[in-house]
Amino acid sequence: MSNCHGSHAHGNCKPTGLCPIVTFPEVVNIDEIRDEAPEVKTFYMSFLNKDVEREFRIKSGQFIMCTVFGAGEFAVSLPPSPENDRFHISVRAVGKVTHALHALKPGDKLGVRGPFGNGFPFEEIKGKNIIYVAGGIGLIPLRSSIVHALQHREDFGRIILLYGARSSRDLMYQPDIQIWKQNAGFETFITIDRPEAGWDGEVGYVHQLIDKANVPIDNSVAFVCGPPVMFNSVIGEFLKRGMSEDAIVSTLERQMKCGIGKCQHCAIGRTLVCTDGPVYTYRQIKTLGEQI
């Protein structure tokens, strides 16, 4: 990421690099709120400053710092595609600030800084198969990439989603998944942990879907995001089948405070997740070891 800390909207950033467009909170209006899953809501927003809105550009895998006025600021993944998608965030209520966010209504205001981070390596993976593997809310940081890949379907081979959650109620973006399924060549395999009344899909854990989907290993990249138990089992299965550590990509979650590498709060060894990440290959993640 570039060290430029200016704003595109004010002409202070050079056209190269991934410098953040907003370094001080810009006010956004909450236009719509949707319930996604238990304790998870999606907030659709628009910038009050339309010059900033026109200039705001994201890359799949990046994040923003979101301010709930009077409560605090937190880092959150960006689920919208970089193009032709409504600006939104999906957030689970887990602490003081996110519970304050969940208490808001359409018409209320938030602050937004960013976008920050390196993003997914789309230029490097053209021509490859993409396997998305998500557990629960792990689909949030992958959504942007999925939509972007489908918008550029001709650039990739097979696109496969392996997705699991504790129950059918915990599955994210269910209307989106139904739309994605209509794309030629998009393959979806979904499972829940335990049987439940009315569920006629797969039952079990996400890593068990790898064989069912006949996942290709050669000329493939896997984007994996979910809780540690799921992550470790999925990675183990891919490595057993011969997938390269460099072909497995994930995002690291840390307690980001500044987003621009100044406060060092998100440091893991010599890496700063807010600027060097949050997207890393498994080879990179492995070298960080127990520091994660």
Side-chain angles (χ1 to χ4, degrees), residues 20 30 41 51 66 73 102 108 122-123 150 208 222 278 291:
I30 299 175
K41 293 184 178 183
D51 288 336
C66 180
E73 186 181 52
H102 274 230
D108 288 335
F122 270 110
E123 287 303 313
L150 292 176
Q208 296 169 325
Q291 301 174 81

Side-chain angles (χ1 to χ4, degrees), residues 133-136 166 193 205-208 210 224-237:
V133 190
R166 286 176 296 182
D193 289 357
Y205 300 112
V206 179
H207 69 274
Q208 296 169 325
I210 293 174
V224 184
C225 196
V229 171
M230 183 226 84
F231 179 84
N232 291 331
S233 60
V234 167
I235 298 299
E237 292 296 326

Side-chain angles (χ1 to χ4, degrees), residues 24 87 166:
F24 296 96
F87 182 51
R166 286 176 296 182

Side-chain angles (χ1 to χ4, degrees), residues 26 56-59 136 143 170-171 173 283 286:
E26 280 286 346
F56 194 78
R57 296 288 182 271
I58 70 172
K59 186 177 181 182
R143 182 193 180 279
D170 292 294
L171 292 167
Y173 303 131
R283 186 182 302 278
K286 193 176 72 167

Side-chain angles (χ1 to χ4, degrees), residues 1 4-7 18-28 45 47 52 56-58 62-69 72-78 87 89 110-117 255-263 265 274-275:
M1 182 172 177
C4 176
H5 299 147
S7 164
L18 287 174
C19 47
I21 188 173
V22 177
T23 53
F24 296 96
E26 280 286 346
V27 178
V28 297
M45 305 172 292
F47 287 91
V52 170
F56 194 78
R57 296 288 182 271
I58 70 172
Q62 290 186 301
F63 68 95
I64 58 169
M65 301 298 297
C66 180
T67 300
V68 181
F69 298 113
E73 186 181 52
F74 66 99
V76 59
S77 300
L78 283 168
F87 182 51
I89 55 174
L110 298 169
V112 166
R113 291 194 295 123
F116 302 113
Q255 202 71 17
M256 259 79 90
K257 292 294 185 183
C258 73
I260 56 175
K262 294 297 186 183
C263 72
H265 199 275
C274 71
T275 54

Side-chain angles (χ1 to χ4, degrees), residues 48-255:
L48 299 193
N49 185 330
K50 296 307 174 186
D51 288 336
V52 170
E53 187 161 76
R54 280 190 292 272
E55 295 286 340
F56 194 78
R57 296 288 182 271
I58 70 172
K59 186 177 181 182
S60 294
Q62 290 186 301
F63 68 95
I64 58 169
M65 301 298 297
C66 180
T67 300
V68 181
F69 298 113
E73 186 181 52
F74 66 99
V76 59
S77 300
L78 283 168
S81 166
E83 51 195 349
N84 301 321
D85 207 355
R86 293 174 69 187
F87 182 51
H88 64 280
I89 55 174
S90 297
V91 180
R92 181 168 65 181
V94 293
K96 183 190 82 167
V97 182
T98 50
H99 273 100
L101 173 67
H102 274 230
L104 299 180
K105 297 177 173 55
D108 288 335
K109 306 296 187 286
L110 298 169
V112 166
R113 291 194 295 123
F116 302 113
N118 57 351
F120 291 116
F122 270 110
E123 287 303 313
E124 299 170 23
I125 65 172
K126 283 185 176 180
K128 295 182 180 292
N129 307 302
I130 308 179
I131 299 98
Y132 293 101
V133 190
I137 62 171
L139 191 59
I140 294 174
L142 296 183
R143 182 193 180 279
S144 174
S145 174
I146 293 170
V147 176
H148 181 71
L150 292 176
Q151 288 171 333
H152 299 270
R153 184 67 191 85
E154 68 282 359
D155 289 341
F156 307 102
R158 293 174 67 187
I159 301 179
I160 303 170
L161 171 63
L162 311 181
Y163 182 36
R166 286 176 296 182
S167 72
S168 60
R169 293 179 66 238
D170 292 294
L171 292 167
M172 291 286 300
Y173 303 131
Q174 294 190 53
D176 285 344
I177 291 173
Q178 295 307 313
I179 293 172
W180 300 342
K181 285 181 176 179
Q182 297 172 21
N183 284 268
F186 183 78
E187 305 168 51
T188 309
F189 299 84
I190 299 176
T191 187
I192 59 174
D193 289 357
R194 293 175 292 277
E196 65 179 52
W199 176 259
D200 59 1
E202 296 293 324
V203 175
Y205 300 112
V206 179
H207 69 274
Q208 296 169 325
L209 296 175
I210 293 174
D211 283 337
K212 185 171 186 64
N214 192 24
V215 168
I217 299 301
D218 294 336
N219 196 38
S220 296
V221 61
F223 291 168
V224 184
C225 196
V229 171
M230 183 226 84
F231 179 84
N232 291 331
S233 60
V234 167
I235 298 299
E237 292 296 326
F238 281 142
L239 294 177
K240 245 182 2 186
R241 289 162 172 75
M243 183 171 281
S244 162
E245 293 177 348
D246 291 318
I248 302 170
V249 179
S250 189
T251 60
L252 291 183
E253 290 189 2
R254 298 299 281 182
Q255 202 71 17

